[in-house]
């Protein structure tokens, strides 16, 4: 992996992107709850919204928590290194 220069702006941008994705997930879940409250059935739109909300919440929480440390290198034991 190429080494790129990381500044505090990169970390802040990644964390803000994560918060934005979490807000998007919250909006999708709120819309799903409104659909269920009106007696809507689970259709293609409902499943697509649920899938999008899950992915946005997962990726958003990781970006908001980890920020720029998401790309940190880790030590791998000799057993798992490539030959």
């Amino acid at each position: 992996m190429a080494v790129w220069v990381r500044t505090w702006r990169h970390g802040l941008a990644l964390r803000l992107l994560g918060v934005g994705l979490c807000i998007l997930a919250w909006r999708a879940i709120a819309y799903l709850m409104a659909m269920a409250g009106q007696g809507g059935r689970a259709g293609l739109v409902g499943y697509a919204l649920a899938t999008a909300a899950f992915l946005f919440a997962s990726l958003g929480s990781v970006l908001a928590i980890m920020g720029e440390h998401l790309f940190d290198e880790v030590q791998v034991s000799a057993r798992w290194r490539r030959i």
Side-chain angles (χ1 to χ4, degrees):
M1 180 177 195
V3 177
W4 49 288
V5 178
R6 296 184 202 146
T7 63
W8 64 272
R9 289 184 180 131
H10 289 127
L12 182 63
L14 286 173
R15 289 180 194 271
L16 288 176
L17 178 65
V19 170
L21 286 174
C22 286
I23 291 171
L24 218 72
W26 175 71
R27 296 283 297 173
I29 292 169
Y31 187 74
L32 279 170
M33 290 175 62
M35 283 176 49
Q38 296 173 356
R41 298 192 59 179
L44 184 61
V45 174
Y47 284 118
L49 271 176
T51 302
F54 174 76
L55 292 176
F56 290 159
S58 299
L59 185 59
S61 61
V62 166
L63 284 175
I65 293 170
M66 298 291 290
E68 68 186 28
H69 297 290
L70 186 65
F71 303 110
D72 287 350
E73 293 185 17
V74 295
Q75 291 285 339
V76 178
S77 70
R79 177 181 181 184
W80 299 105
R81 289 189 190 151
R82 292 185 185 179
I83 299 175

